[in-house]
Amino acid sequence: MTERWVEVALTRRGVRGMARLLDDRAPLTCAAVWDALPLSGDVYHAKYARNEIYALFPPFAESEPPLENPTVTPIPGDLCYFSFAGAELGTKAYGYDREVRPGTTLVDLALFYERNNLLLNGDVGWVPGIVWGQVTEGLAELAEACNDLWRTGAAGETLSFRRA
């Protein structure tokens, strides 16, 4: 199989990076994401995982991928896939500006942009993610924009993924 690439962008800030899909390690997750592209949504900066930005989407796979290529210690450039029941994210502590109701499922596509991440949430414990891509170009610029997002706020910013 030929390599597949995804552009990852913070739209308002005009920053983009290129990520290689890890089809050899997470084939079902890569197929689900690839088939759903393009995807774009409000960006959030993580509170617990540390150096992470992400967007939330309605489920887009026919069935949720299994936990393939899992991690609880993502490294810089990792793109991770998470699936959450609405009840897991339904408190105001997560800072969402829309209602997240029990009984719904949300897909979280995340970019980890710096070191020392630990996917341990005080409410639910370990939260392993599926590593489905690796940013290989533009990570330094994305990291700088992510730090700016952390300091100045995420309101009005969009995280987008599209085929490259």
Side-chain angles (χ1 to χ4, degrees):
M1 179 179 230
T2 60
E3 289 187 342
R4 296 189 290 180
W5 294 82
V6 171
E7 180 188 84
V8 181
L10 287 169
T11 308
R12 194 182 80 196
R13 285 170 172 80
V15 179
R16 290 169 171 63
M18 296 296 294
R20 182 177 58 84
L21 268 65
L22 302 178
D23 284 299
D24 57 329
R25 297 182 183 179
L28 298 174
T29 306
C30 288
V33 172
W34 185 260
D35 290 345
L37 294 177
L39 292 166
S40 183
D42 293 340
V43 68
Y44 297 94
H45 196 289
K47 289 175 88 174
Y48 299 107
R50 195 160 179 180
N51 301 300
E52 172 195 6
I53 63 167
Y54 60 96
L56 299 173
F57 302 98
F60 47 76
E62 284 187 33
S63 62
E64 285 303 310
L67 191 58
E68 52 185 3
N69 199 30
T71 190
V72 293
T73 56
I75 62 172
D78 277 352
L79 296 178
C80 289
Y81 178 107
F82 304 89
S83 179
F84 295 106
E88 293 175 287
L89 302 178
T91 69
K92 291 190 183 253
Y94 293 98
Y96 302 124
D97 56 0
R98 62 184 175 181
E99 185 179 356
V100 182
R101 294 183 315 272
T104 60
T105 299
L106 293 172
V107 171
D108 168 334
L109 295 183
L111 163 65
F112 290 85
Y113 63 88
E114 188 49 78
R115 298 173 37 133
N116 300 320
N117 302 296
L118 185 62
L119 301 180
L120 180 62
N121 179 303
D123 294 334
V124 298
W126 294 105
V127 183
I130 300 168
V131 183
W132 60 273
Q134 180 67 44
V135 175
T136 60
E137 298 173 29
L139 183 58
E141 295 81 4
L142 280 167
E144 185 177 326
C146 292
N147 277 314
D148 179 63
L149 189 134
W150 172 251
R151 294 184 46 82
T152 63
E157 183 61 89
T158 300
L159 178 61
S160 66
F161 303 87
R162 71 175 184 90
R163 294 178 184 185

